[in-house]
Amino acid sequence: MTIQQWLFSVKGRLGRRDFWIWIGLWLCAMVLLFSLAGSDTLSLQTASFILVCLLWPTAAVVVKRLHDRGKSGAWALLLVLAWMLPAVNWNMLPGVWQWAVGQLLPTIIMVMMLLDLGAFVGTQGQNKYGKTTAEVRFRQFTSNVQQ
């Protein structure tokens, strides 16, 4: 799998190693982005634009990892739900329900998805989303850049 397929295509399957590589790169980018925005080195609008630009590669990696687990990419919508639930004003619910729906449920969803995507082995052999998992060819990319 090429770098372009890894980051921009939702077709195929992706193993745990390449999933964790992207998550590590994404976390480093978020720390750098919010550090620069927090110190007023980078405007909030620019930081928001960069964050939005990183959504597609993240979605592509997550969907391919779900495919490797034999699941539809629609399962990624659970991550969107977990991201949006804390933003809702849950004051219409009684005390403990505000916490349960606004904080506990999103945390459970995120932990379960992280375990499913990052810890569990994908389906062995071929499944309906493709043949075996293809590793990203990072070295091929760097050798093409050097030429």
Side-chain angles (χ1 to χ4, degrees), residues 82 85-86 100-113:
L85 279 174
V101 176
Q103 293 177 359
L104 180 64
L105 185 59
T107 303
I108 290 171
I109 292 171
M110 293 296 267
V111 167
M112 293 306 295
M113 289 295 286

Side-chain angles (χ1 to χ4, degrees), residues 6 63 82 86 116 130:
W6 179 47
V63 167
D116 190 28

Side-chain angles (χ1 to χ4, degrees), residues 3-146:
I3 299 281
Q4 293 83 4
Q5 290 168 326
W6 179 47
L7 295 177
F8 299 109
S9 172
V10 293
K11 294 183 181 186
R13 297 169 56 181
L14 189 67
R16 289 179 293 178
R17 178 192 75 123
D18 296 324
F19 169 76
W20 281 113
I21 288 172
W22 174 252
I23 295 301
L25 290 172
W26 183 83
L27 286 173
C28 289
M30 290 301 107
V31 167
L32 179 66
L33 186 65
F34 287 111
S35 296
L36 292 174
S39 65
D40 290 331
T41 307
L42 190 67
S43 73
L44 190 56
Q45 291 82 9
T46 305
S48 300
F49 177 75
I50 294 170
L51 178 66
V52 169
C53 288
L54 288 174
L55 289 177
W56 182 261
T58 303
V61 167
V62 167
V63 167
K64 282 194 292 288
R65 183 66 191 128
L66 283 165
H67 287 173
D68 190 45
R69 297 274 303 131
K71 297 179 181 178
S72 166
W75 281 92
L77 293 174
L78 280 174
L79 293 172
V80 175
L81 177 67
W83 186 46
M84 292 175 64
L85 279 174
V88 175
N89 183 2
W90 295 107
N91 286 333
M92 72 281 233
L93 298 176
V96 74
W97 285 101
Q98 293 175 17
W99 171 79
V101 176
Q103 293 177 359
L104 180 64
L105 185 59
T107 303
I108 290 171
I109 292 171
M110 293 296 267
V111 167
M112 293 306 295
M113 289 295 286
L114 193 61
L115 278 173
D116 190 28
L117 298 174
F120 298 146
V121 178
T123 4
Q124 299 300 318
Q126 185 172 345
N127 69 13
K128 67 181 180 178
Y129 299 105
K131 296 181 181 174
T132 60
T133 302
E135 289 191 4
V136 179
R137 295 185 304 254
F138 296 107
R139 290 191 179 139
Q140 180 183 6
F141 177 74
T142 55
S143 66
N144 287 342
V145 171
Q146 293 171 353

